[in-house]
Amino acid sequence: MPRFVEELTLNDESIEELFAHGLDPDDVYEVLRANPKILPNKGRRARRRANHRERWKMIGPGRTGRLLTIIIEHPDHAGRAHVVTGWKSDRGDQTRYRQPGGRRNLP
């Protein structure tokens, strides 16, 4: 499990994914600055993917204070990860964010 994430990369595909969910790169960086909780991505879609263990959820407040879920992949021990997509957190992710457990992003 990654201990922290301090650097994110985005590409055209991930930016389009964010826009499709009403978010933009600034939202992602705001979540990163807000000490997000980082958890394994265990959703239904993730289980169908062969490499789902490489994807993580970064959950934290965005610019408006609303919780956002950002999917990242390939986090490394140097604190780098790639953004895949993101959306406004559903009730399940809101609950996960508020519960103890998982790792807070502590650079």
Side-chain angles (χ1 to χ4, degrees):
M1 175 181 264
R3 289 184 43 116
F4 64 92
V5 175
E6 65 179 26
E7 182 181 331
L8 294 171
T9 61
L10 295 110
N11 58 22
D12 291 342
E13 185 179 348
S14 57
I15 292 170
E16 286 179 25
E17 279 286 325
L18 291 169
F19 284 140
H21 293 281
L23 303 178
D24 63 41
D26 290 339
D27 293 307
V28 172
Y29 292 116
E30 188 64 29
V31 170
L32 182 62
R33 285 189 291 272
N35 190 26
K37 185 177 264 191
I38 299 172
L39 302 165
N41 185 21
K42 295 182 178 179
R44 285 185 304 236
R45 290 182 189 148
R47 286 192 298 265
R48 285 186 233 149
R49 295 179 53 86
N51 65 350
H52 74 275
R53 294 178 192 268
E54 298 176 5
R55 290 195 173 178
W56 299 81
K57 288 183 176 185
M58 189 173 72
I59 306 170
R63 291 180 286 179
T64 64
R66 184 168 183 172
L67 287 178
L68 303 176
T69 299
I70 309 299
I71 304 300
I72 58 175
E73 66 182 358
H74 308 298
D76 63 23
H77 293 289
R80 295 177 299 241
H82 177 72
V83 174
V84 177
T85 188
W87 52 77
K88 294 175 182 136
S89 298
D90 61 19
R91 285 186 190 208
D93 283 345
Q94 291 173 19
T95 299
R96 286 178 199 88
Y97 178 78
R98 291 180 177 99
Q99 288 177 338
R103 299 232 184 194
R104 291 291 181 158
N105 198 37
L106 300 172

